[in-house]
């Protein structure tokens, strides 16, 4: 299916914004090392400042979803881009850790807006959602890879304050592009929704109760499990890769001596993830999303079990493993994003994605603490066995979703299957 003009316009805007969000997100850990020295901080104090920004990145998704339903997703995405850019300029002006913390809190609040607003825009404005979700995910991966690379490279030649300002430039460019972009944000569902203002507390509770009384409860559980697996494995994988005997003793070129071979393997995982997102995005229009979720979860469980035995093999098997893991890990993203669009009504789409990313980034981060505990007090095998169990739980929920109530959306394979069954 070829994208129409409206789909292409929304895709370009959302891809640019998505890449920018993760560009900023992954630059922060690079700055952390610099701030420790510049402000003579302990890791604990600096970590609290960074954690505050990251926590709000997840927690803010729910109110952001409500605002997207009220004011429209494009306005929210533009506000997100402006806020993130201003926050990084604020970092450059900070004279103490308190200033750094304030700027990071501002970044977290404004960055939290993107996912519920951007995905709501795609789900209501795009006809070929699967393809656009795929390209959208690929753009996010580019931001994940380029953000820390650009930050580290610029820090070799410039003061960190100048680097912070330089990193804000793509945000400004994305904002200018968004102001010029023209598209219909409700082309895929029809602009028949009435907006009378922000939900009252009673309306919010009623709408939330209605969502969780149906299949969205299962979708929310699936996305939370994705977050648990995603955070649990990606947080510790670079360190684990760098500690493997097969990768030890092999030094990168002198110009890149600060990077290890494990870092390159991690980049290979992210590149393979782009392919996974594209393939899965195309498949969402061909197979029921719940079936796709179940299959990918089973694959992720098998990959978790395989890590320990594969890690004892040579370079090529480990590199191949990273490629397959990256493909599967990011292939699940278009499926769960499509699941939200399939199993929720259009007029609550922003709220639905708000809950989704509260589960993904908020509850999903619990596996970071769990993973650290297992690595400190148990073994690497225990960590990956736990991740395998988490993935199998996700597969079970996806199967339940596959045979559950009829999806809300009528334009998906899930809905088509359900309609055929009704006949």
């Amino acid at each position: 299916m070829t994208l129409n003009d409206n789909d292409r316009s929304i895709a370009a805007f959302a891809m640019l914004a998505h890449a920018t969000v993760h560009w900023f997100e992954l630059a922060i850990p690079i700055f952390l090392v610099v701030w420790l020295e510049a402000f003579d901080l302990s890791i604990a104090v600096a970590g609290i400042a960074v954690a505050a920004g990251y926590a709000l990145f997840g927690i803010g998704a729910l109110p952001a979803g409500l605002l997207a339903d009220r004011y429209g997703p494009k306005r929210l995405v533009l506000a997100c881009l402006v806020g993130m850019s201003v926050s990084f300029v604020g970092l450059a002006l900070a004279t103490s850790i308190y200033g750094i913390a304030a700027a990071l809190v501002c970044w977290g609040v404004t960055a939290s807006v993107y996912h519920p607003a951007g995905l709501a825009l795609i789900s209501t404005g795009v006809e070929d959602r699967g393809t656009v979700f795929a390209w959208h995910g690929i753009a996010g991966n580019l931001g994940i890879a380029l953000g820390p690379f650009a930050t580290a490279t610029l820090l070799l030649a410039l003061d960190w304050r100048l680097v912070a300002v330089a990193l804000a430039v793509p945000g400004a460019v994305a904002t200018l592009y968004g102001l010029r972009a023209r598209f219909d944000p409700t082309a895929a569902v029809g602009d028949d929704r009435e907006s009378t203002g922000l939900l009252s507390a009673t309306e919010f509770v009623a709408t939330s109760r209605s969502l969780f009384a149906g299949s969205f409860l299962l979708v929310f559980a699936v996305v939370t499990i994705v977050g648990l697996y995603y955070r649990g494995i990606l947080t510790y994988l670079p360190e684990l890769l760098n500690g493997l005997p097969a990768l030890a003793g092999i030094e990168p070129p002198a110009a890149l001596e600060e990077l290890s071979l494990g870092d390159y393997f991690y980049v290979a995982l992210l590149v393979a993830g782009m392919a996974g997102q594209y393939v899965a995005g195309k498949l969402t229009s061909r197979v029921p999303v719940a079936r796709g979720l179940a299959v990918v979860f089973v694959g992720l469980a098998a990959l978790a079990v395989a890590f320990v035995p594969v890690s004892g093999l040579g370079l090529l098997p480990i590199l191949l493993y990273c490629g397959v893991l990256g493909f599967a890990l990011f292939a699940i993203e278009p499926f769960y994003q499509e699941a939200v669009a399939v199993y929720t009504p259009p007029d609550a789409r922003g709220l639905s994605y708000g809950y989704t990313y509260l589960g993904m980034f908020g509850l999903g981060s619990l596996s970071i603490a769990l993973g650290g505990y297992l690595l400190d007090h148990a073994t690497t095998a225990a960590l990956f066995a736990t991740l395998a169990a988490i993935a199998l739980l996700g597969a079970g929920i996806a199967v339940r979703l596959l045979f559950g109530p009829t999806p809300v959306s009528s334009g998906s394979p899930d809905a088509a299957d359900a309609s055929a069954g009704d006949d």
Side-chain angles (χ1 to χ4, degrees):
M1 180 177 181
T2 303
L3 296 181
N4 59 42
D5 290 342
N6 195 68
D7 284 8
R8 282 196 295 271
S9 184
I10 291 176
F13 176 52
M15 288 170 64
L16 186 56
H18 193 206
T20 304
V21 169
H22 291 296
W23 163 275
F24 286 125
E25 179 195 6
L26 274 296
I28 293 171
I30 306 298
F31 278 127
L32 177 60
V33 179
V34 178
W35 295 332
L36 291 174
E37 181 177 349
F39 296 103
D40 192 22
L41 302 172
S42 68
I43 295 178
V45 171
I48 290 173
V50 173
Y54 279 155
L56 289 169
F57 184 35
I59 295 171
L62 183 55
L66 289 170
L67 292 172
D69 286 334
R70 168 63 181 93
Y71 295 107
K74 182 180 179 181
R75 292 181 184 177
L76 269 292
V77 173
L78 288 172
C80 166
L81 292 169
V82 171
M84 291 190 300
S85 301
V86 170
S87 298
F88 264 61
V89 174
L91 283 177
L93 300 176
T95 57
S96 69
I97 186 58
Y98 300 105
I100 295 292
L104 290 178
V105 164
C106 180
W107 175 84
V109 169
T110 53
S112 71
V113 170
Y114 177 71
H115 286 92
L119 293 172
L121 174 61
I122 295 172
S123 70
T124 59
V126 171
E127 297 288 345
D128 188 2
R129 286 195 307 249
T131 298
V132 175
F133 276 142
W135 285 109
H136 177 263
I138 290 171
N141 266 33
L142 283 174
I144 289 172
L146 293 178
F149 177 80
T151 305
T153 302
L154 289 172
L155 285 171
L156 294 175
L158 300 174
D159 179 77
W160 72 268
R161 297 180 187 277
L162 293 176
V163 174
V165 174
L167 292 177
V169 172
V173 172
T175 302
L176 292 174
Y177 177 85
L179 289 171
R180 296 174 58 87
R182 296 291 181 268
F183 48 76
D184 180 358
T186 60
V189 296
D191 192 9
D192 56 356
R193 300 173 294 166
E194 296 184 1
S195 180
T196 58
L198 289 175
L199 294 179
S200 67
T202 301
E203 291 170 329
F204 170 73
V205 171
T207 303
S208 298
R209 183 179 299 166
S210 176
L211 282 173
F212 283 97
S215 296
F216 181 71
L217 175 61
L218 298 176
V219 175
F220 178 78
V222 161
V223 177
T224 299
I225 288 172
V226 172
L228 289 169
Y229 191 102
Y230 176 92
R231 291 296 192 194
I233 200 165
L234 288 190
T235 298
Y236 298 107
L237 190 60
E239 180 180 353
L240 293 173
L241 287 173
N242 289 330
L244 296 181
L247 275 63
I250 301 179
E251 299 295 335
L256 300 173
E257 60 186 5
E258 295 185 4
L259 299 175
S260 67
L261 190 60
D263 295 321
Y264 287 101
F265 278 37
Y266 188 70
V267 171
L269 182 151
L270 295 175
V271 172
M274 297 179 194
Q277 286 168 326
Y278 180 79
V279 172
K282 303 297 283 188
L283 287 176
T284 58
S285 61
R286 294 170 171 80
V287 300
V289 291
R291 184 176 299 161
L293 285 166
V295 170
V296 178
F297 269 130
V298 171
L300 290 173
L303 286 165
V305 172
F307 178 80
V308 172
V310 171
S311 66
L313 303 177
L315 289 177
L316 186 59
I318 296 173
L319 179 60
L320 179 62
Y321 174 88
C322 288
V324 176
L325 176 62
F327 185 96
L329 185 59
F330 288 96
I332 206 165
E333 185 174 304
F335 281 115
Y336 75 69
Q337 291 172 346
E338 175 71 3
V340 177
V342 167
Y343 288 96
T344 62
D347 58 355
R349 200 59 56 73
L351 178 61
S352 301
Y353 280 114
Y355 274 119
T356 296
Y357 281 89
L358 174 63
M360 176 72 181
F361 292 130
L363 299 178
S365 64
L366 294 174
S367 63
I368 298 176
L370 176 61
Y373 177 84
L374 291 173
L375 289 174
D376 279 344
H377 297 89
T379 62
T380 300
L383 169 62
F384 281 90
T386 301
L387 292 173
I390 289 172
L392 289 176
L393 177 60
I397 296 173
V399 170
R400 175 68 183 85
L401 186 64
L402 181 63
F403 296 102
T406 303
V408 173
S409 172
S410 62
S412 68
D414 302 74
D417 288 357
S419 300
D422 292 340
D423 293 340

